[in-house]
Amino acid sequence: MYLNCHSFHSLRYGTIPLEDLISHASACGVTAMALTDINTVTGIYDFIKGCDAAGIKPLVGMEFRSEHELRYIGLAKNASGLGEMNRFLTSHNYQKTSLPLLAPDFNDVFVIYPLENAPLSLAENEYIGIRPGQLQKLVLSEWKTRQEKMVVLQPVTFRSKKEYNLHKILRAIDLNLILSRLSVDDYCKDYEIMVPEQRIVNCYEQYPHIIANTREIIERCHFEFDFDTPKNKKFYTNSKKDDMILLTSLAKQGLEWRYGKNNAEAKSRMFKELKVIEQLEFSGYFLITADIIRFSTSQGFLHIGRGSGANSIIAYCLGITDICPLELDLYFERFLNLNRKSPPDFDIDWSWKERDVILEYIFSRYGYDHVAFCGTNVEFKYRSIFREVGKVFGLPKEELDALAKNPMELHATNKVVKQVQEYGMLLEKYPNQRSMHSCGILISEEPITNYTPLEMPPKGFPIVLFDMHIAEDIGLEKFDILSQRGIGHIDDSVKLIEKNRSIRLNIRDTSISKNEASCNAYLGIGKTIGCFYIESPAMRGLLRRLKCNNYKTLVAASSIIRPGVAQSGMMKEYIFRHNHPDQFEYFHPVFQEQLGETYGIMVYQEDVIKIALHYGGLPAADGDILRRAMSGKGRSKAALQKVKDNFFASCKAQGHPDKLSEEIYRQIESFAGYSFCKAHSASYAVESYQSLYLKVHYPIEFMVAVINNQGGFYRTEVYVHEARMSGAKIHNPCVNKSEFETTLYGLDVYLGFMHLQSLESKIAILIQTEREQNGAYKSLEDFINRIPIGIEGIQILIFIGAFRFTGKTKNQLLVIARLIMVNFKPENRSLMLLEEPVKEYELPELARSAFEDAFDEIELLSFPVSRSPFDLLQTKFRGDVMAKDLLNHHKKTVRMLAYLISRKHVPTKMGAMYFGTWIDAEGELFDTAHFTGSLKEYPFQGGGCYLLLGHVEVDYHFPTITVTKMAKMPFIADPRYSNADDRQFTTHEKIKEDVSMTHRAPYPQEHEINLPRNKMAN
């Protein structure tokens, strides 16, 4: 009898989680029910599975609403009916038009109109839904004669009084109103609740036609879905046979390209993989991916293929990845095996500047009817919950900020806040809005609207209305088309090198960068600022601790840095064993046999699977469940718990010590969702080497590319500093030299107009295009005549020194600008100044402090260019020790003066601590640790220079200063405001620092882990 049920996928309307809706229906004795969420089918596939398990017949459909008003309900008779509804809604989503009052002529859909807007005539498949409270209207003649086309309409939206209140709160959030402003039409009726089915039947016992109609609809709806058959585009050509012929041909060509003509091992591996690919019918997936790569290469784009796909020699031969699986002993079964039903994942990165071109190709090549982005459900999170719910209760902004930023125990204790907390906590993990997956593309064999409506967000690529988990459940595997700035760094560097030095570099040839001697030397000392994945303070510290000087160690480091390895204690143990390979014993012979390369430490996802299979004795199927859990793809906690139970039972049967088995499973659990497969680490390491090679051999071009791709881990100032340390001469923006992005002329780096935060982007771009079309600007007057810019924009350019080519001082230029602009009429721009000779003004000599330029730069760029931050200090003291000498001061107390680059927050059981990164007066980097005690007395006070006092600890070749005291050092007063005391120190506040916060529970301490370093007795 329930033809209109809402789950919480009816966003900001329904209050019942899908599982709870099904269990509630089961408790009420419901034998059939329809899920009709508002304008979506997000939940129908989980709904079908849940109903089948509960013995309930599932009906699927949608409630069509326009501007919050119910138009009609659609119920699919079959799969064809779902497609009809999906395409109908998709059309209106694309066109951004309101849904019509009357439903279209569906063939395989039952349509139910609410009584209040039922049309005068109904098609055969159309009915009028009548709620229990409306039955008294049937005495009226206008409805009495239409009973034969009526059905039971008992909507379900909430389960209890509290959830009814929650529903109203959701409606207020959606409508951006406070609760008291809601009208009765804004929320559902108070009877939209599920009750035992017999009660509903009893309500309609005097109207047998209505009950019969309802049962007939339930009987005639047969929506069956095949969850086992893959839905991706099946073949690249027209058949499996033709696909395999093409794939084999391409693989053979690639084999010769990668390995030459006589590599028997590679050839054997290739044919072994081809056999598995053919058996699993994944040839189309490989060929489609290869086609995308072929297009990318034809456009001159650089890509990085990573993830478990790098385990495949076929992927290597097709150019999808640049990782040789033979070199790193990567086994294909980790990527693809006969037990695996879903297609493999290829994660492919492009520059963020080029990704849209790749997407356009995919959509046009494979058809907009068959391609869409995967969706995501954005859930209500802690901060958004309290802001949204607090706003509904009418709290002012200050109180909303306090609720959002503070933990609940620090919230106020008044009645309203209690209600905000009570209802806010009910919303935790509820979907709040639908969004687009960052990279997942679906390419389907049948039109994708057979499975879901599509939405067209402003970006211009359609998205499905379900997430990657549901997509995978129904047989749609995503292609991950990603973007990252690291590739932009590499790609733009190569172009700059050719432009600046006339050197054409083939950075795709990884043999020139991987394990190159000078690159390895830089790795060992952590000189990696700007390089993909290896520039953060933590990674630079790890590289130094490992004295990393080769590819395989870098591959391991790329995974060791991940949280799973760190929180289990295995990162510290790996560092110890790497530096002291003769001072440990393997936990068990299996660890020596399987993990000898990593000193018996589980570093990669494959290592976990190896230990689960070879030590724990688990079957391969359990290993695959572990793999999915570690890669964040598994949704079944029950399946994972079963694996855990099997592990301990199997270990016990083999006679393994309980304590060792418990320790090993603790390590396994710590990996879940926080580790890399070896191929992924290898892919990252190759890209790190590519960027490092460019940094080592072409440092200025590389740093300019990093700056133009808007940096990486650090702010622009740090990369400008690195360019200067590499021999570049840094110049402020100039109207005759600079472009929107930073430009390079030999060793001269001109900062781009994009870094002037107060200058309009369109003006910044116009300065460049006008100069390219009509030549250099001859004077300030010439510039004003050619560029439509106001006095504020002119002043920004003058203060940054963009007209220094004129030979006039900033003060003189300001006077000239004002004299011109006072009577200047924009409509005469192309007439007046060109026809009249440039006027020469007699201007007084206006004295200017040598430091004024630096403060102009801080104000406009947020960092000084013409002076070092140390030049602006009131003190001449530069510290007792420089960063280059710290290795010689182990266990000693030092006093240093340094400029703050970044600080990283780390939660500990004692409270918050920070790791700091600094540069000294010589421009060298060093690192500090600030524990809770010293932070209370000596906190960070924003960007700038600090005097530091602390103890040096050299941990495996890496010096860190544990700071006991620090004080921010005062800069000189801003000379531009020598007559305004209240403004002499305001510009200093614009100097930045990079702060990264960590939102996680504290890691256990070393003594709490007690990781065994020796064999454990039986």
Side-chain angles (χ1 to χ4, degrees):
M1 296 294 115
Y2 290 101
L3 304 183
N4 183 208
C5 297
H6 305 107
S7 75
F8 64 3
H9 288 298
S10 290
L11 300 182
R12 300 184 179 191
Y13 192 96
T15 65
I16 313 175
L18 206 51
E19 288 182 8
D20 294 357
L21 178 64
I22 295 168
S23 60
H24 188 53
S26 185
C28 287
V30 174
T31 55
M33 63 186 293
L35 183 67
T36 54
D37 279 317
I38 298 170
N39 294 345
T40 188
V41 297
T42 304
I44 65 169
Y45 298 103
D46 283 343
F47 174 73
I48 292 167
K49 283 187 171 183
C51 283
D52 286 346
I56 298 171
K57 180 179 180 178
L59 282 66
V60 301
M62 266 187 277
E63 181 174 294
F64 293 96
R65 286 182 177 248
S66 192
E67 303 296 327
H68 309 294
E69 292 182 3
L70 173 60
R71 295 282 196 256
Y72 26 81
I73 297 152
L75 295 174
K77 297 178 185 178
N78 47 39
S80 176
L82 177 64
E84 284 186 276
M85 289 190 288
N86 291 340
R87 282 182 274 281
F88 166 63
L89 186 58
T90 296
S91 173
H92 287 279
N93 287 343
Y94 279 15
Q95 295 168 22
K96 305 288 191 272
T97 54
S98 297
L99 295 174
L101 292 171
L102 299 180
D105 295 328
F106 291 128
N107 293 316
D108 291 300
V109 177
F110 288 114
V111 176
I112 301 171
Y113 288 95
L115 192 70
E116 50 271 20
N117 59 334
L120 292 175
S121 62
L122 295 169
E124 182 186 349
N125 64 317
E126 294 180 334
Y127 293 84
I128 300 169
I130 184 161
R131 297 177 175 88
Q134 296 173 323
L135 289 171
Q136 67 272 22
K137 292 188 177 183
L138 296 186
V139 299
L140 302 174
S141 57
E142 63 173 306
W143 298 118
K144 192 173 183 178
T145 58
R146 304 187 69 185
Q147 290 182 37
E148 74 283 354
K149 291 292 286 182
M150 288 185 177
V151 295
V152 174
L153 186 59
Q154 172 59 40
V156 176
T157 304
F158 60 93
R159 287 174 292 178
S160 63
K161 175 65 176 174
K162 181 175 281 190
E163 277 193 4
Y164 187 44
N165 292 337
L166 182 65
H167 163 76
K168 290 181 179 178
I169 289 168
L170 285 168
R171 298 305 303 128
I173 290 172
D174 192 44
L175 296 168
N176 197 25
L177 296 171
I178 61 173
L179 272 175
S180 60
R181 299 293 299 275
L182 283 177
S183 72
V184 291
D185 294 328
D186 293 328
Y187 51 86
C188 75
K189 307 304 180 188
D190 59 6
Y191 53 76
E192 294 194 11
I193 192 168
M194 186 174 282
V195 297
E197 197 163 80
Q198 191 56 45
R199 279 178 56 184
I200 299 297
V201 173
N202 293 343
C203 286
Y204 293 83
E205 61 184 354
Q206 296 181 35
Y207 307 97
H209 280 305
I210 295 177
I211 294 174
N213 289 342
T214 308
R215 285 181 172 152
E216 183 183 1
I217 286 178
I218 292 171
E219 185 65 30
R220 290 177 62 188
C221 285
H222 291 287
F223 187 89
E224 295 179 354
F225 191 84
D226 179 5
F227 287 92
D228 297 323
T229 305
K231 309 300 186 301
N232 280 60
K233 182 172 175 57
K234 197 168 185 180
F235 306 121
Y236 176 73
T237 59
N238 295 314
S239 69
K240 173 184 172 181
K241 181 182 176 182
D242 289 345
D243 268 11
M244 284 310 302
I245 291 171
L246 178 58
L247 182 61
T248 303
S249 172
L250 293 174
K252 286 179 178 178
Q253 293 171 35
L255 187 75
E256 186 172 335
W257 165 49
R258 293 291 198 184
Y259 295 101
K261 293 185 177 180
N262 300 308
N263 191 315
E265 183 186 7
K267 187 175 182 180
S268 172
R269 170 77 174 254
M270 179 194 76
F271 281 113
K272 173 188 167 187
E273 290 191 15
L274 284 169
K275 187 176 179 181
V276 174
I277 292 167
E278 182 175 20
Q279 285 181 267
L280 293 174
E281 299 188 354
F282 289 158
S283 55
Y285 201 91
F286 274 80
L287 287 169
I288 290 170
T289 307
D291 173 62
I292 296 166
I293 298 305
R294 180 205 55 76
F295 170 77
S296 171
T297 304
S298 74
Q299 300 298 303
F301 296 165
L302 180 65
H303 77 277
I304 303 290
R306 57 180 174 83
S308 61
N311 288 62
S312 167
I313 202 168
I314 300 292
Y316 184 52
C317 291
L318 295 179
I320 296 170
T321 70
D322 282 315
I323 307 301
C324 171
L326 302 182
E327 179 184 10
L328 291 174
D329 191 27
L330 303 176
Y331 63 106
F332 181 60
E333 290 74 17
R334 166 61 181 83
F335 175 54
L336 205 56
N337 58 71
L338 293 176
N339 295 319
R340 182 170 185 169
K341 295 180 180 177
S342 58
D345 275 348
F346 286 117
D347 297 340
I348 307 174
D349 291 313
W350 278 271
S351 166
W352 61 285
K353 296 178 180 180
E354 295 166 348
R355 178 176 177 248
D356 279 0
V357 178
I358 299 297
L359 292 175
E360 288 284 3
Y361 172 75
I362 294 170
F363 275 87
S364 59
R365 170 71 174 80
Y366 297 100
Y368 276 75
D369 290 341
H370 295 266
V371 186
F373 263 95
C374 209
T376 59
N377 283 318
V378 180
E379 296 174 342
F380 281 101
K381 300 286 174 57
Y382 185 89
R383 288 193 173 195
S384 67
I385 285 174
F386 287 119
R387 285 196 188 280
E388 297 277 20
V389 178
K391 199 189 302 180
V392 164
F393 279 92
L395 295 179
K397 183 180 182 303
E398 300 75 28
E399 290 189 47
L400 295 177
D401 290 341
L403 290 176
K405 293 176 182 177
N406 293 314
M408 283 178 62
E409 57 266 25
L410 297 181
H411 288 179
T413 56
N414 60 64
K415 184 180 177 182
V416 174
V417 170
K418 289 286 186 188
Q419 285 186 295
V420 171
Q421 290 176 338
E422 180 183 5
Y423 287 104
M425 287 301 93
L426 289 176
L427 284 180
E428 201 166 23
K429 298 294 184 183
Y430 272 45
N432 181 20
Q433 57 191 32
R434 283 184 293 273
S435 185
M436 185 171 76
H437 190 282
S438 59
C439 60
I441 300 287
L442 305 175
I443 304 177
S444 62
E445 177 71 19
E446 297 179 13
I448 209 156
T449 48
N450 283 5
Y451 313 110
T452 173
L454 302 175
E455 289 182 347
M456 184 69 79
K459 189 176 178 69
F461 294 113
I463 61 172
V464 302
L465 302 192
F466 46 68
D467 64 20
M468 57 179 279
H469 297 296
I470 294 174
E472 185 176 342
D473 277 350
I474 68 175
L476 279 169
E477 295 290 332
K478 60 186 173 62
F479 292 75
D480 284 331
I481 308 298
L482 304 106
S483 67
Q484 49 150 288
R485 297 188 185 276
I487 294 178
H489 300 169
I490 295 168
D491 209 23
D492 286 359
S493 295
V494 171
K495 293 171 184 172
L496 266 174
I497 291 162
E498 184 171 3
K499 180 181 177 183
N500 198 46
R501 302 201 195 190
S502 300
I503 296 172
R504 182 168 290 184
L505 190 65
N506 182 15
I507 200 66
R508 287 188 178 88
D509 180 5
T510 57
S511 65
I512 68 172
S513 57
K514 197 171 67 179
N515 268 337
E516 197 261 355
S518 49
C519 291
N520 285 338
Y522 270 52
L523 275 178
I525 57 175
K527 197 171 181 181
T528 54
I529 296 288
C531 298
F532 172 75
Y533 198 68
I534 55 172
E535 66 166 332
S536 71
M539 194 64 181
R540 288 187 297 102
L542 176 60
L543 294 174
R544 292 185 69 174
R545 289 183 175 97
L546 295 174
K547 273 196 173 177
C548 179
N549 64 356
N550 62 78
Y551 173 51
K552 289 192 176 181
T553 304
L554 180 57
V555 172
S558 298
S559 191
I560 290 165
I561 200 72
R562 298 285 291 167
V565 189
Q567 73 180 2
S568 67
M570 288 183 284
M571 180 170 77
K572 284 188 177 180
E573 185 63 17
Y574 183 93
I575 295 168
F576 174 85
R577 294 184 181 196
H578 181 78
N579 283 282
H580 305 290
D582 57 345
Q583 295 182 28
F584 73 92
E585 295 177 328
Y586 287 93
F587 298 153
H588 186 276
V590 166
F591 283 78
Q592 184 171 9
E593 179 187 332
Q594 297 292 332
L595 308 182
E597 184 183 299
T598 55
Y599 316 108
I601 299 293
M602 287 184 282
V603 169
Y604 311 111
Q605 290 177 3
E606 291 93 334
D607 297 343
V608 176
I609 297 170
K610 285 177 184 177
I611 296 305
L613 301 185
H614 296 286
Y615 173 85
L618 293 180
D622 281 4
D624 201 54
I625 291 171
L626 278 175
R627 173 191 68 80
R628 294 168 68 79
M630 285 185 292
S631 55
K633 294 183 179 179
R635 291 199 290 169
S636 173
K637 291 181 181 178
L640 202 56
Q641 181 61 44
K642 186 179 178 183
V643 169
K644 183 176 182 178
D645 295 340
N646 291 347
F647 177 84
F648 283 113
S650 180
C651 288
K652 198 170 190 67
Q654 294 177 78
H656 293 318
D658 289 346
K659 284 190 177 179
L660 179 58
S661 299
E662 287 166 8
E663 167 57 27
I664 289 168
Y665 201 82
R666 181 193 70 78
Q667 295 175 17
I668 288 173
E669 279 190 315
S670 73
F671 269 75
Y674 295 108
S675 63
F676 281 165
C677 65
K678 189 175 183 180
H680 195 106
S681 293
S683 305
Y684 269 23
V686 166
E687 187 177 348
S688 297
Y689 259 118
Q690 288 175 318
S691 55
L692 183 58
Y693 180 86
L694 295 167
K695 177 183 173 68
V696 171
H697 296 283
Y698 308 97
I700 299 174
E701 288 86 353
F702 178 69
M703 281 304 154
V704 170
V706 173
I707 291 166
N708 284 339
N709 281 274
Q710 297 167 42
F713 186 88
Y714 305 96
R715 62 188 181 275
T716 299
E717 178 186 7
V718 178
Y719 302 114
V720 171
H721 169 75
E722 281 287 305
R724 184 183 283 113
M725 293 290 285
S726 301
K729 186 176 181 182
I730 309 298
H731 300 272
N732 282 317
C734 168
V735 295
N736 276 338
K737 289 283 190 179
S738 294
E739 298 176 358
F740 183 74
E741 293 186 337
T742 295
T743 47
L744 178 62
Y745 304 90
L747 299 178
D748 293 298
V749 173
Y750 283 82
L751 295 178
F753 294 118
M754 64 185 285
H755 301 298
L756 292 172
Q757 297 156 10
S758 304
L759 188 69
E760 287 183 69
S761 294
K762 64 180 182 181
I763 293 294
I765 294 168
L766 184 59
I767 292 171
Q768 176 186 339
T769 54
E770 165 62 25
R771 186 182 71 223
E772 289 169 350
Q773 290 171 9
N774 298 306
Y777 302 102
K778 302 181 184 66
S779 62
L780 175 60
E781 294 92 331
D782 181 37
F783 179 86
I784 293 171
N785 189 46
R786 291 163 62 181
I787 300 296
I789 189 172
I791 188 64
E792 295 84 1
I794 290 287
Q795 288 180 166
I796 289 168
L797 292 169
I798 289 173
F799 282 128
I800 204 61
F803 297 101
R804 54 191 180 277
F805 71 91
T806 64
K808 294 181 170 63
T809 67
K810 290 182 181 180
N811 290 340
Q812 290 171 332
L813 288 166
L814 286 169
V815 171
I816 293 171
R818 290 191 176 114
L819 286 172
I820 293 173
M821 298 297 282
V822 122
N823 295 312
F824 184 75
K825 295 179 180 177
E827 61 268 22
N828 294 333
R829 173 165 273 110
S830 59
L831 303 172
M832 185 177 64
L833 290 177
L834 285 178
E835 294 174 357
E836 297 179 8
V838 173
K839 294 181 181 178
E840 290 293 332
Y841 299 96
E842 286 194 23
L843 301 167
E845 286 289 330
L846 299 169
R848 188 172 171 85
S849 161
F851 294 106
E852 285 190 51
D853 286 345
F855 281 96
D856 284 341
E857 292 152 6
I858 292 170
E859 189 160 317
L860 295 170
L861 298 170
S862 80
F863 60 91
V865 174
S866 57
R867 300 272 175 168
S868 157
F870 295 94
D871 296 335
L872 303 180
L873 289 169
Q874 293 179 16
T875 179
K876 299 296 181 186
F877 179 69
R878 295 294 178 264
D880 297 329
V881 176
M882 293 290 117
K884 64 185 179 185
D885 301 318
L886 283 175
L887 284 172
N888 302 323
H889 288 76
H890 181 46
K891 297 292 184 183
K892 295 179 183 176
T893 298
V894 296
R895 192 171 55 150
M896 299 184 71
L897 193 136
Y899 183 62
L900 179 59
I901 297 300
S902 67
R903 56 186 168 105
K904 166 76 172 175
H905 162 262
V906 178
T908 74
K909 292 188 176 179
M910 300 296 291
M913 71 165 290
Y914 282 90
F915 290 108
T917 300
W918 312 75
I919 59 168
D920 65 12
E922 294 178 348
E924 296 295 329
L925 288 157
F926 68 94
D927 295 88
T928 56
H930 305 254
F931 290 95
T932 308
S934 70
L935 281 170
K936 285 180 181 176
E937 290 189 62
Y938 306 103
F940 286 93
Q941 298 177 54
C945 291
Y946 288 72
L947 183 62
L948 307 171
L949 183 72
H951 303 290
V952 179
E953 296 287 340
V954 179
D955 180 38
Y956 300 107
H957 334 292
F958 176 58
T960 304
I961 301 170
T962 301
V963 172
T964 52
K965 295 181 180 180
M966 72 175 178
K968 189 172 180 182
M969 303 301 286
F971 283 149
I972 60 172
D974 188 340
R976 302 172 305 166
Y977 300 111
S978 56
N979 296 321
D981 292 346
D982 60 329
R983 299 193 64 183
Q984 286 186 345
F985 292 95
T986 55
T987 302
H988 307 60
E989 296 170 7
K990 290 183 177 289
I991 292 177
K992 293 183 178 179
E993 58 172 333
D994 295 321
V995 183
S996 53
M997 301 300 292
T998 307
H999 302 287
R1000 60 163 170 78
Y1003 285 161
Q1005 296 179 335
E1006 199 166 347
H1007 70 275
E1008 295 174 306
I1009 297 173
N1010 197 25
L1011 194 70
R1013 190 165 288 162
N1014 299 298
K1015 289 181 182 177
M1016 297 181 74
N1018 287 324

